[in-house]
Amino acid sequence: MEKASRSQRSAHHVLPLLVIGACVLSCMALALTAAFLRPRNFTSFSDAIGYVLDQRGIAYERIFIDRTWPDTVNDITYGANLLIVTPEKGEVAGRLDCRGWKTDCFFTVRELGIYREALPELTQQQRLPWLVWIEQALGITLWF
């Protein structure tokens, strides 16, 4: 009789723990799914251009954006010279232009066969410090 009551008490303790564990795992799975399905955000032109180059299968090492005096005179539109360092062709020059102030942007790099390629819109959202730390620690780039 004593064994039966002890096993019933154990079952009463285990069942709530199983329910709580299932809820926690469900919440974690939902959060990870939402994070990976969210569209990628770009906070800089270099990131957006790099993304387009990756999509086209063009290897690059670095992207430089240079705004010179003529580009900085106009505060309604945005324009800049590009310098993209590639393993195959070395340094290639291009041009970044936006119809608005950092909106509706496109770039051209003739040596790479890119003409007026539209860029994804930039967001003002900054990366969370703990995500940056995880990326640096693991040597990966998270897309959320």
Side-chain angles (χ1 to χ4, degrees):
M1 186 78 159
E2 216 173 284
K3 281 187 177 182
S5 66
R6 190 179 312 150
S7 66
Q8 284 178 341
R9 278 186 267 161
S10 296
H12 288 302
H13 293 297
V14 171
L15 186 60
L17 290 176
L18 288 174
V19 170
I20 291 170
C23 289
V24 167
L25 288 175
S26 297
C27 289
M28 288 174 56
L30 184 63
L32 286 173
T33 302
F36 283 109
L37 291 179
R38 193 173 106 194
R40 185 165 179 189
N41 293 329
F42 301 97
T43 57
S44 73
F45 284 124
S46 296
D47 290 343
I49 292 169
Y51 175 76
V52 172
L53 293 175
D54 288 340
Q55 294 296 312
R56 288 176 158 248
I58 298 172
Y60 69 95
E61 295 170 0
R62 188 137 169 126
I63 299 170
F64 296 99
I65 296 175
D66 180 34
R67 291 192 78 215
T68 58
W69 175 79
D71 291 323
T72 59
V73 172
N74 190 346
D75 62 348
I76 296 171
T77 62
Y78 185 94
N81 295 320
L82 295 176
L83 183 66
I84 301 173
V85 181
T86 65
E88 296 87 26
K89 297 185 178 193
E91 295 179 352
V92 293
R95 181 76 185 157
L96 168 67
D97 289 297
C98 301
R99 292 187 182 105
W101 179 246
K102 296 188 176 184
T103 59
D104 196 15
C105 300
F106 54 91
F107 74 106
T108 299
V109 183
R110 294 186 196 285
E111 285 184 63
L112 299 177
I114 300 173
Y115 301 96
R116 298 182 58 84
E117 179 75 28
L119 283 178
E121 291 295 321
L122 299 182
T123 61
Q124 298 302 318
Q125 178 182 352
Q126 296 297 320
R127 307 270 305 151
L128 297 172
W130 62 273
L131 285 176
V132 174
W133 179 81
I134 289 173
E135 288 177 347
Q136 290 172 348
L138 299 178
I140 60 172
T141 300
L142 300 174
W143 295 37
F144 52 91

